[in-house]
Amino acid sequence: MEKYAKLTLCSEYAVGDVDDRVYGSFIEHLGRAVYGGIYEPGHPAADENGFRADVAALVKELNVPLVRYPGGNFVSGYNWEDGIGPVKDRPRRLDLAWSTTEPNTFGTDEFMKWCARVNTAPMMAVNLGTRGADAARNLVEYCNHPGGTCWSDLRRKNGAEKPYGVKLWCLGNEMDGPWQMGHKDAAAYGALANEAAKLMKWTDPSIRTVLCGSSSYGMRTFGEWETTALDLAYDNVDYVSMHQYHGNSDQYLENFLAKGVETEQFIRSVVAALDYVQGKRHAKKRIDISFDEWNVWYHSNGAQFEKWCEAPHILEDVYNFADALVAGTMLNAILRHADRVKIACLAQLVNVIAPIMTENGGGAWKQTIFYPFYYASKYGRGKSLQTLFEGSKYDTRWYSDVPHADVSAVLGADGTLAVFAVNRDLTDPITLETKLLDFEGFAPVKHVVLENADPEAVNTAECEAVRPAEKPLAAPDGRTLRTVLAPMSWNMLLLKKR
Ligand code: AHR
């Protein structure tokens, strides 16, 4: 069967504006994300705050507009008050989420400082597992109230005269999961989230809140969870979250590369659930998606570590080349749904299922998944264009009609057109024929490609086996741009209006 891919683009046909916040990420108190990741006092590259400058430089390269914190599963047992004030007085605690010891030498104020250091905005999560509305509204007061009250004055005493102005707040984490501390059913969670969000917004009406959706597409409660919890909390929430991680534990590569199809199905189903509740309530307000955990995650499953130690090497997936392709298709799905996915967080940022890896006391380097994210974050800001697409397809045991080529396209305000394309086929190149309906005056800039004959190739501190190459991009023939996508490759075709 001949493999082919035909894309038609028109600058007037947009899905919607890409919200910059889809290039967010996530730092949890988990493994070496904080300790030995972004924060390592005594490291040769550490600044006066203990923040690693080498890591900060890589984070800045990714240009993440927001970072979710402090969890994740961790937040559902976290007393935020443990992480403020003089470090010597902070308690050491058992973290029941990950069976480790939390030293609390890094907390809210350190995180805010770090955000300023790397030019990002905090997205805070509150504990709705072991705690509730009171602790949540106090944290909003601590972070956002100017002064003259107990919590805001404590922040000032702790060194931050001005409020942090945190705009985005997650109402707990994965509360649908039995593994979560304080797990609840949808009705109990919806009622609690509503009360917490109400008090948080009374404390600071400018904040926006994110209700926990399902922790995966495969949850037995998926759909029911969203509609029940959202109906109860509708008036006080602005976004509903979705989380998704793909894996390839069965080493079935064709199937693994197809998993972006499931991301697309998941997004569509969540949109349907949100719109159903809006319709049912005849509500004016529309609820959008915060896809605040997405990535590939499976390599580190089952890794052993000593229980209750500090900052162990856990969830340290070493990403291979195939993982970068899957990450690229997840980004494409997010961009194709730019009208409804307004926030997204690559989970996570450093060491823990992350694009950036470090050695304690040593170097920092880029994992394979760094690159699709880097290019999307750099060139995928603007208007997401409708991808009128026709192409050959394949089936796996799990999925039917998987397009060999997976595409998205973004037109930037500066006249840059970026087409992101993954060729999922293991053996054959595919010519992507892009018909540019109204792009007169656009000239080719470059073709960036991530290709490798070995799907298991990985990057290490010593060797960057997977890195992008730049090629010339052939000029369009009339209106048609023809670009060969190598087998198993991620590509960015870049054009610019002269
Ligand atoms: O990102 C790792 C974990 O995955 C998070 O703590 C949790 O929210 C999810 O299950």
Side-chain angles (χ1 to χ4, degrees), residues 26 28-30 68 70-75 97-98 173-174 179-180 215 243 245 292-294 297 315 347-348 352-353:
F26 177 28
E28 178 167 1
H29 281 249
L30 195 188
R68 184 168 171 252
N73 296 340
F74 170 81
V75 79
W98 301 104
N173 177 70
E174 295 191 348
W179 59 86
Q180 201 70 211
S215 47
H243 290 179
Y245 295 99
D292 46 45
E293 287 187 35
W294 70 267
W297 171 15
L315 276 70
Q348 298 190 10
V352 169
I353 45 174

Side-chain angles (χ1 to χ4, degrees), residues 19-82:
D19 192 315
D20 284 353
R21 296 173 304 170
V22 299
Y23 300 114
S25 191
F26 177 28
I27 285 284
E28 178 167 1
H29 281 249
L30 195 188
R32 297 191 308 125
V34 173
Y35 307 108
I38 61 173
Y39 176 73
E40 193 179 344
H43 186 281
D47 66 12
E48 69 285 3
N49 295 306
F51 304 150
R52 282 184 62 158
D54 52 349
V55 174
L58 291 173
V59 172
K60 280 167 103 169
E61 253 192 78
L62 288 178
N63 194 10
V64 289
L66 61 91
V67 176
R68 184 168 171 252
Y69 173 87
N73 296 340
F74 170 81
V75 79
S76 297
Y78 183 51
N79 298 333
W80 67 266
E81 303 88 336
D82 291 348

Side-chain angles (χ1 to χ4, degrees), residues 379-397:
Y379 296 104
R381 300 189 191 221
K383 253 193 320 186
S384 172
L385 299 182
Q386 292 278 359
T387 47
L388 302 170
F389 183 80
E390 199 205 317
S392 53
K393 297 175 176 164
Y394 70 104
D395 292 338
T396 71
R397 280 200 296 282

Side-chain angles (χ1 to χ4, degrees), residues 247-249 251 253 256-257 295-296 298-299 316-328 354 366-372 450 452 454-460 465-467 488:
N248 186 24
S249 304
Q251 307 239 314
L253 188 55
F256 179 51
L257 295 178
N295 202 350
V296 171
Y298 73 103
H299 297 283
E316 295 198 1
D317 275 43
V318 175
Y319 288 113
N320 63 31
F321 172 63
D323 300 330
L325 301 182
V326 173
K366 298 172 181 172
Q367 294 234 59
T368 62
I369 61 167
F370 186 98
Y371 289 109
L450 211 54
N452 203 298
D454 178 6
E456 296 189 1
V458 300
N459 293 347
T460 63
V466 179
R467 63 158 77 178
M488 277 200 301

